[in-house]
Amino acid sequence: MEIGEAERINGEMAELARELGIGPGMRRHILLCADQSDPQCCAKEDGIAAWNYLKRRLKELKLDAEGGVYRSKVNCLRICRNGPVMLIYPDGIWYRNCTPDLIERILQEHVVEGRVVESHVFARAPLTSS
């Protein structure tokens, strides 16, 4: 690939990232194990329902690109029980059993108010700046 072509592609990708809210204003990244190719942590339907709820509520609450919260649906977070499993960075908080009801609580308490929903946390691995 020529340098000019790489710069063009990088520019296009950077613009797409800005449109999606990826950049300096990004406060959190939520990863949700949903729609797995080999569902083990929860029924496929439960994972899809959780994902659809998360997407809709982030938009309704203006927490998505406008509010600095990015979301990613992942095939597997390798914790194959008590799903759907959700991971929130940079906090590094891992949640279990993320039904739509719990997702609403996590969005309100953790994402909006900054209080972790301790009753469903099973691991912590915060990102640190070093």
Side-chain angles (χ1 to χ4, degrees), residues 13-79:
M13 297 296 290
E15 179 58 31
L16 179 58
R18 277 190 295 279
E19 289 172 11
L20 292 172
I22 299 169
M26 191 169 147
R27 297 181 306 115
R28 289 203 170 83
H29 190 170
I30 299 175
L31 295 93
L32 182 67
C33 185
D35 198 12
Q36 307 90 334
S37 51
D38 181 20
Q40 294 182 23
C41 72
C42 67
K44 187 174 187 108
E45 302 79 33
D46 293 343
I48 293 169
W51 174 250
N52 289 335
Y53 187 84
L54 176 65
K55 281 193 324 185
R56 182 173 57 81
R57 287 301 287 152
L58 285 173
K59 188 171 187 164
E60 289 172 354
L61 295 168
K62 297 187 180 348
L63 291 172
D64 54 0
E66 297 174 49
V69 178
Y70 194 72
R71 59 172 166 75
S72 293
K73 175 172 54 174
V74 299
N75 186 282
C76 180
L77 287 169
R78 300 183 64 196
I79 306 290

Side-chain angles (χ1 to χ4, degrees), residues 72-119:
S72 293
K73 175 172 54 174
V74 299
N75 186 282
C76 180
L77 287 169
R78 300 183 64 196
I79 306 290
C80 298
R81 64 175 53 119
N82 296 311
V85 173
M86 177 187 286
L87 169 58
I88 301 180
Y89 278 128
D91 315 40
I93 301 297
W94 292 71
Y95 288 108
R96 63 174 174 79
N97 299 104
C98 290
T99 62
D101 287 343
L102 181 60
I103 290 172
E104 182 65 31
R105 188 171 168 207
I106 291 167
L107 291 176
Q108 296 298 329
E109 294 179 26
H110 183 153
V111 177
V112 173
E113 298 173 12
R115 290 182 296 118
V116 173
V117 181
E118 297 291 346
S119 61

Side-chain angles (χ1 to χ4, degrees), residues 1-12:
M1 179 179 296
E2 295 180 29
I3 292 175
E5 178 70 2
E7 289 174 351
R8 181 189 66 75
I9 292 171
N10 287 345
E12 290 173 0

